[in-house]
Amino acid sequence: MTAKLGLFMQTECQIESNTPYYVYQLILLSLLLFPTSIVLAFDINPFKEYNGGAELVHTFEQPAAEILVSSIINPVHEELTIKTLFFVRDTRMPGYELIDDNLIRKVIRGVRWNDDPLNFLPDNPRQWLLNFEHASKITDRINENFDLFYRSHHADLQFLHAMASSEDESAQFTRAAIMSWIEFTYKVASGYIPVHTPFKQLHNYLSPKTSLVFKNFFTQNGRRLNWTPAYLFSLKCTREVVLPSTFEALDCSQTTWLPNKQDIQNIALGSLLHVIQDSFSDSHVTRNPDYDGNYSLIHGRSAIQTFNTYKKQSIRLHRGADSYPQDMDQPPMQSGFNLEEVSAEVISYVLSDRTRPRNKNRQALVNSKLRKGIFHLLDPNATAGSGKYK
């Protein structure tokens, strides 16, 4: 970390005083956020916005900042999401009539949530970076009492990225956590769980197994009992960092407790899609059949050999599979699982369930389809792997 902080301080000194501060933040993030020592899932780009087209666009006036960000960060999650939503709309799948620009923007926000659950970005990229690096240094000390940002990238919440959290974790344990998150987010996104339901009451809406898993990850030791899905998906936090090593208390006072219901439902849908998308990242999940090359494919995929874990991988190699999938611009294959088709079916179920009676909610059907489909395990007892990324 010392070398990177040196680069940070040097960069700060070299930027002219009349440079807008957000440009400084962009340059810092572009230089440091995605080096070979930092891994996410498929890339996100929080500095671009949806503007009605299949590709995100810049909203800044500074050409240099735009070019720099574009050359470093690819909006893979966002553009996979737009592609799928357009597919649902253009093929007029059930629920398509609910898709408008506002829904698309909120689903995009949700697909970014798994990588940034405290919503540091795009306003505070320096905090995102320094908190990430700090979490990287204290991985072995992170437990359920830490915040969601630390846990989602380095500890027990790595199922949010379709990955195992430890080296000896079994595939069936990882899948159970993933399926529980999918149940929770599906039920929020479809309206089955009211968005202002306190976590201490979620057992009334979740299956017994998911209720236990959710409790283990989110409300152990009496923590977060009064949180709600609305609060969870609206978190807006800051944590000031005084270099070299002082981290102030987390401040989430900007979070609203009463956001728009549809916005929260759409953000939850985006978080669900993030997990499905990451399960097609070759460095996160090794699927059958395997292939040579450090890249991802989203068409014609099959059952799961192993969920992988960062702890067994070369971070440099891992990064290669998190850029644009090699076949992203190709049509779906006739056999195997195609990411767009799987995601589109889930979206269609979610959106059409919003107008159905609660007792007709089809979450259990969707979870069953996913469990038997893209999350089918060749060996439930297989321990976390590394894939081709040792």
Side-chain angles (χ1 to χ4, degrees):
M1 186 171 179
T2 303
K4 290 180 182 174
L5 291 180
L7 176 58
F8 159 71
M9 290 183 285
Q10 182 181 21
T11 303
E12 182 179 34
C13 294
Q14 290 177 344
I15 294 177
E16 296 180 4
S17 59
N18 62 351
T19 301
Y21 184 61
Y22 77 85
V23 176
Y24 152 67
Q25 290 184 311
L26 281 173
I27 294 173
L28 173 65
L29 187 74
S30 299
L31 289 172
L32 297 181
L33 183 53
F34 295 104
T36 56
S37 64
I38 289 183
V39 293
L40 298 176
F42 280 134
D43 289 347
I44 62 170
N45 185 336
F47 304 105
K48 287 185 173 182
E49 294 184 4
Y50 170 75
N51 196 30
E55 297 181 359
L56 301 190
V57 298
H58 295 292
T59 58
F60 305 120
E61 297 178 359
Q62 296 289 332
E66 294 179 12
I67 294 171
L68 186 56
V69 171
S70 294
S71 66
I72 300 295
I73 310 173
N74 297 312
V76 181
H77 272 297
E78 296 94 330
E79 291 181 4
L80 286 170
T81 301
I82 295 170
K83 183 178 185 180
T84 305
L85 287 165
F86 281 9
F87 179 84
V88 174
R89 186 186 65 187
D90 295 345
T91 58
R92 302 173 72 87
M93 295 177 69
Y96 81 93
E97 66 279 358
L98 298 181
I99 298 176
D100 57 19
D101 285 348
N102 183 65
L103 179 144
I104 293 173
R105 290 189 179 95
K106 295 305 180 183
V107 174
I108 288 172
R109 177 175 170 184
V111 86
R112 291 167 172 163
W113 184 91
N114 301 44
D115 284 325
D116 186 28
L118 301 185
N119 203 11
F120 287 134
L121 301 172
D123 298 330
N124 296 296
R126 177 178 177 273
Q127 291 184 19
W128 193 105
L129 169 70
L130 295 178
N131 279 276
F132 190 103
E133 290 201 327
H134 183 237
S136 300
K137 294 179 65 177
I138 63 168
T139 298
D140 294 338
R141 291 160 45 196
I142 298 174
N143 58 38
E144 68 273 6
N145 295 317
F146 277 67
D147 64 59
L148 303 183
F149 182 85
Y150 276 58
R151 294 169 64 197
S152 67
H153 290 290
H154 296 91
D156 59 331
L157 299 185
Q158 291 183 60
F159 62 84
L160 293 174
H161 310 289
M163 294 195 77
S165 297
S166 65
E167 296 183 47
D168 59 353
E169 186 171 297
S170 70
Q172 59 185 342
F173 183 93
T174 307
R175 183 177 68 176
I178 289 170
M179 300 312 299
S180 294
W181 184 252
I182 289 176
E183 177 183 339
F184 167 68
T185 50
Y186 186 103
K187 286 181 172 178
V188 173
S190 63
Y192 184 88
I193 298 178
V195 300
H196 299 298
T197 303
F199 281 7
K200 61 186 176 184
Q201 296 177 10
L202 283 178
H203 65 275
N204 295 318
Y205 300 91
L206 299 173
S207 65
K209 185 174 183 178
T210 292
S211 181
L212 179 61
V213 171
F214 196 91
K215 178 180 179 180
N216 288 339
F217 284 119
F218 292 99
T219 58
Q220 280 259 14
N221 303 321
R223 295 178 63 87
R224 308 180 190 89
L225 291 175
N226 292 317
W227 280 32
T228 66
Y231 184 79
L232 175 71
F233 290 119
S234 296
L235 281 168
K236 179 62 178 174
C237 306
T238 61
R239 181 189 283 114
E240 293 298 333
V241 181
V242 181
L243 296 176
S245 60
T246 301
F247 289 76
E248 304 292 345
L250 190 67
D251 179 2
C252 298
S253 60
Q254 299 178 55
T255 306
T256 175
W257 282 85
L258 296 173
N260 179 273
K261 179 183 76 172
Q262 285 75 26
D263 289 349
I264 297 304
Q265 292 174 341
N266 295 332
I267 293 169
L269 174 57
S271 178
L272 190 165
L273 293 175
H274 184 113
V275 179
I276 292 176
Q277 291 168 0
D278 271 358
S279 78
F280 281 76
S281 171
D282 190 53
S283 55
H284 289 223
V285 177
T286 299
R287 291 187 177 274
N288 188 49
D290 203 357
Y291 52 87
D292 293 329
N294 298 340
Y295 55 84
S296 294
L297 297 173
I298 60 173
H299 299 139
R301 308 306 295 136
S302 189
I304 293 174
Q305 295 181 21
T306 60
F307 291 104
N308 298 326
T309 178
Y310 291 139
K311 295 181 179 180
K312 291 184 177 181
Q313 294 180 328
S314 159
I315 303 306
R316 178 183 62 81
L317 294 177
H318 178 111
R319 287 287 302 143
D322 285 343
S323 188
Y324 285 112
Q326 191 175 76
D327 57 350
M328 182 163 176
D329 294 327
Q330 298 175 14
M333 297 182 68
Q334 295 297 314
S335 61
F337 303 120
N338 300 303
L339 174 58
E340 308 97 307
E341 294 175 346
V342 173
S343 299
E345 185 176 25
V346 172
I347 292 169
S348 179
Y349 273 118
V350 165
L351 297 184
S352 54
D353 269 359
R354 290 182 183 178
T355 58
R356 291 164 59 92
R358 288 184 65 254
N359 64 352
K360 300 292 185 180
N361 188 277
R362 292 169 292 183
Q363 171 275 321
L365 172 63
V366 171
N367 264 42
S368 177
K369 283 175 170 281
L370 294 174
R371 181 185 296 272
K372 296 175 182 177
I374 63 169
F375 291 113
H376 175 67
L377 304 175
L378 293 176
D379 179 4
N381 295 315
T383 56
S386 60
K388 304 185 291 285
Y389 304 89
K390 294 181 181 179

